[in-house]
Amino acid sequence: MLRLEPRSTQSFAAAWLSPVMALVLTAITGGVIFLAMGKDPSTALYIYFIEPLTTTSGLSEVAVKAGPLILIGVGLSFGFRAGVWNIGAEGQYIAGAIVGGGLAVYFYESESTLLLPAMLVFGMLGGMAWAAVPALLKTRFNANEILVSLMLVYVAELLLVHLVQGPWRNPQGWGFPGTRMFPDVAIMPLLFSGKRAHLGTLITLAVPFIAWFILAQTRFGFTVRVFGSAPLAARHAGVHGHRIIWHSLLIGGGLAGLAGVIEATSTIGQLMPNISPGYGFTAIIVAFLGRLHPVGVLLAGIAIAVTYIGGEGAQISAGLPKAVTGLFQGIILFYLLAFDLFTRYKIILPSRRTAAQ
Amino acid sequence: MTEQGLLSLTGICKSFPGCLANDNIDLDVAAGEIHALLGENGAGKSTLVKIIYGVLRPDRGDVRWQGEVTRIENPAQARTLGIGMVFQHFSLFEAMTTLENIALALPPEDPEALRVRLQETASAYGLALQPDRHVYDLSMGERQRIEIVRCLLQDPQLLILDEPTSVLTPQETEILFETLHTLAQEDRAILYISHKLEEVRSLCDRATILRGGRRVDDCLPAQETARSLAEKMIGKKVQQVSRLSPIDSGSSVHLAVSGLNIHSDLAHGIDLTDISLEVRAGEVLGIAGIAGNGQIELMGALSGETGSPLAGSISILGTNANQLNPTVRRSLGAVFVPEERIGHAAVADMTLVDNSYLTGDTRLNFSRRGLIDWPAVARYTQNVVQNFDVRTTGVDALASSLSGGNLQKFIVGREILQEPSLLVVSQPTWGVDAGAAAAIHEEIQRLVSTGVAVLMISQDLDEVFLLSHRIAVISQGTLSTAKPIDEITPEDIGLLMGVRHEALPEADHATA
């Protein structure tokens, strides 16, 4: 039998090497899968991982795709560090899109430049409100936040479908589910003409660095770190656990909500049933791939975004199925968890033990 | 008394990741002797006995049992050979009776026959046991007797006891010692693991001393002094701690607790009932007691980490602190050292600098415009490391990389350098090496001599007598009246350990 033995020391380098190794092995495994599907692995891998990064429009697409992943991932990493397991960022993302986007639905003829900033604020508040439910139930009744936040995802999805098919449906939409198109003042300005990268992309790039600063330099950030690894020590330091639960869920919800409303005001321009290709769930992978470190999440968000864009490219030019994207994300997480195991444990082979005796 | 070697170990080596727990250890135990295995925490005692009992296997070396080389694969085989062991932490089912617990460990047997055997064995060795009582009702001493009788029923030639007196009152300890002498007279061998020197001197025929995983000496404890044994154990001269500083009787009260009732929020916690105490400036109040009698709850109540009192009051430097959180209590002038070092007093995977900030922020104000002034925290940490002789690779070392003694010196130093008016400390030297313990005792005395009030909760009676001006005993969530040190003896304390200190109705545990 193989045995696992805890390592006496854990290397900092190994902790950061494991996501890199996970990406490398994912590429190799992907190559094998492409081969089995009768595709030329080097071409397919090139389309998948390299091509998106070779053109400015590809880079712009990666940035647009990475935005929501990074925003949500940074928010989740606060909670995950504190040991608060918010799995429902998808719901908070949708709630943010609904509340922020709702403003544009009601003021669809507005020409005020204040509309967009107001939507961003409302989007954050919407996400926070959605995350407040698990926070309240957790602190009041000790209800499991994993279940509550996850179930609220489905509530948010159904609420969105109800709104865009019912009260908020576009009267000129020929019956399709979806709201009116947002007015121009409610659309994120583009950074470069002809590319989809927008102002929200810049916000996304700033957030990880702000989060890093908060974690490293403020008492609040310190208490989040302590609470996650030693709740009793946090209490010893005078930190109330309930406050950390509230704060980390509100941050996670607020950033997910912000991501939702940015998505609605940029690439989509309206509310419709499918405003998220599962960003809220993929961001969980992003958070862990980034080692729950804000700057790591930034890099991980970009890496995962490449798999989305590469997946689209592979569908078009190599005729690969759409499911390959999800497959790659699953393989990355699998390898990451495996490497994490090896950074914490070493394997004792049976042959080595008998030889020693 | 040393006739023929019953058990003989030669060249035993055992390593764990990052540590050589046993390094070429030889040990001979003869029939009919009480043999001490003496050493500090981490000296390799537990590893060695686990090898003898078949829990661990040695990397190298021979185990000879009755003259023959034997491989002991598991505890069941050890028991078959005639080796019994009583662990420091008991393995009893609380919801079952004494008889049921014993029956579980033995081959199937008629319960009535077993009852007769149990009572015969128990009375033969003076171990009072009531077969039909449930374990949750029993004291630690009674539980230990179940474990011992359970071993004796299997007629062992060698009985191993791991730190058996750490959970006993002085009276219970005496009963245990008598039993052990009886067993030795029957030509059974006893391997007695301890770090308590006086105990080893009075009880044991021979002692093997381990230090840092090696056997450093064999000696006859009766011919040694406690001091010479300690020096062998820690490998250097032991400093004698100076005597108590006198207290000024008119000095002000820094901590006053009166009529305190607290409902424990722990799963098997102890509710505190009608606790009253007072600690004056320049005074150490020692609170003795066996673990699990409300010490954790008392510490939590004083530091403000656990729920607010149902009745009574806690007053810190004249301010009612009932509803105050730990941060506010610190700003009043109190500092706290809880019992558990890792995970409570310190965060294992954070650096010493982080750990200084953990409790130091309130009194030392490490914030500058809302941000943490990390260079200031690092300077403070450096100060603690230097003044308290903390052996570490640097202030950025992880707390988990320090030995128990060094981490405890760091924690105590971190609190003392905050210049408190009141120090509340629980088990200040639990599980630390003798050198660090002496250093910590000295620092506490120095602190007290500057007029700071100290409340010390400790299971170590030697420590309580060494440092305290007055002593009270905590038992079943109640506290005895504190007595000046010259009016109380260890025997008095033993008597106070087993009883509730007020004839109060039983607290209702159903909601716990």
Side-chain angles (χ1 to χ4, degrees), chain B residues 297-316:
Chain B
E297 289 79 3
L298 180 60
M299 186 71 202
L302 293 176
S303 69
E305 288 171 49
T306 46
S308 52
L310 302 174
S313 70
I314 298 169
S315 156
I316 294 174

Side-chain angles (χ1 to χ4, degrees), chain B residues 150-356:
Chain B
R150 191 158 76 174
C151 283
L152 292 179
L153 284 170
Q154 301 177 58
D155 194 24
Q157 297 305 300
L158 170 67
L159 184 63
I160 305 171
L161 296 147
D162 191 359
E163 304 270 356
T165 58
S166 58
V167 293
L168 301 185
T169 65
Q171 283 79 4
E172 287 176 323
T173 302
E174 234 162 79
I175 298 172
L176 173 70
F177 285 3
E178 279 169 30
T179 306
L180 296 182
H181 280 300
T182 315
L183 289 169
Q185 279 155 20
E186 294 178 344
D187 240 18
R188 297 180 207 272
I190 288 151
L191 189 57
Y192 187 90
I193 300 160
S194 183
H195 63 266
K196 295 188 182 170
L197 307 167
E198 285 302 341
E199 221 172 82
V200 167
R201 256 167 45 79
S202 65
L203 177 72
C204 300
D205 305 313
R206 271 204 306 156
T208 296
I209 297 167
L210 301 186
R211 185 169 77 227
R214 292 165 188 241
R215 190 191 67 143
V216 291
D217 203 0
D218 265 354
C219 62
L220 303 177
Q223 296 173 7
E224 302 280 339
T225 64
R227 190 163 176 176
S228 68
L229 283 176
E231 282 170 4
K232 288 186 206 293
M233 203 162 88
I234 66 170
K236 59 181 178 199
K237 293 275 176 215
V238 181
Q239 280 187 352
Q240 208 76 11
V241 181
S242 57
R243 272 311 300 170
L244 297 174
S245 53
I247 9 168
D248 177 1
S249 56
S251 59
S252 55
V253 176
H254 282 189
L255 173 68
V257 174
S258 80
L260 184 70
N261 281 13
I262 286 212
H263 177 71
S264 176
D265 53 4
L266 297 170
H268 294 283
I270 303 289
D271 295 340
L272 299 182
T273 313
D274 201 18
I275 301 261
S276 296
L277 59 85
E278 244 184 32
V279 195
R280 290 177 175 276
E283 177 192 44
V284 180
L285 173 65
I287 294 187
I290 303 161
N293 274 285
Q295 286 95 331
I296 294 171
E297 289 79 3
L298 180 60
M299 186 71 202
L302 293 176
S303 69
E305 288 171 49
T306 46
S308 52
L310 302 174
S313 70
I314 298 169
S315 156
I316 294 174
L317 289 120
T319 306
N320 183 314
N322 279 21
Q323 305 296 329
L324 303 182
N325 68 32
T327 309
V328 183
R329 292 182 195 209
R330 285 195 180 98
S331 61
L332 289 175
V335 297
F336 311 96
V337 177
E339 171 178 348
E340 207 62 56
R341 280 188 284 281
I342 288 288
H344 193 176
V347 185
D349 56 4
M350 283 188 153
T351 66
L352 295 185
V353 175
D354 284 331
N355 276 295
S356 293

Side-chain angles (χ1 to χ4, degrees), chain A residues 5-8 213 216-219 222 225-226 229-239 243 346 353 356-357, chain B residues 17-18 59 71 305-306 326-327 330 336 338 343-347 349-350 354 357-359 361 370-372 374 414:
Chain A
E5 210 168 74
R7 289 181 192 273
S8 52
F213 184 78
Q217 298 294 335
T218 67
R219 179 164 178 85
F222 180 80
R225 291 192 284 140
V226 173
S229 45
L232 275 180
R235 200 155 73 169
H236 182 58
V239 179
R243 204 184 298 170
K346 59 184 171 196
R353 246 185 67 220
Q357 281 176 353
Chain B
D59 297 338
R71 268 185 64 141
E305 288 171 49
T306 46
T327 309
R330 285 195 180 98
F336 311 96
H344 193 176
V347 185
D349 56 4
M350 283 188 153
D354 284 331
Y357 179 78
L358 188 70
T359 66
D361 187 39
L371 304 179
I372 300 171
W374 285 116
R414 172 186 81 183

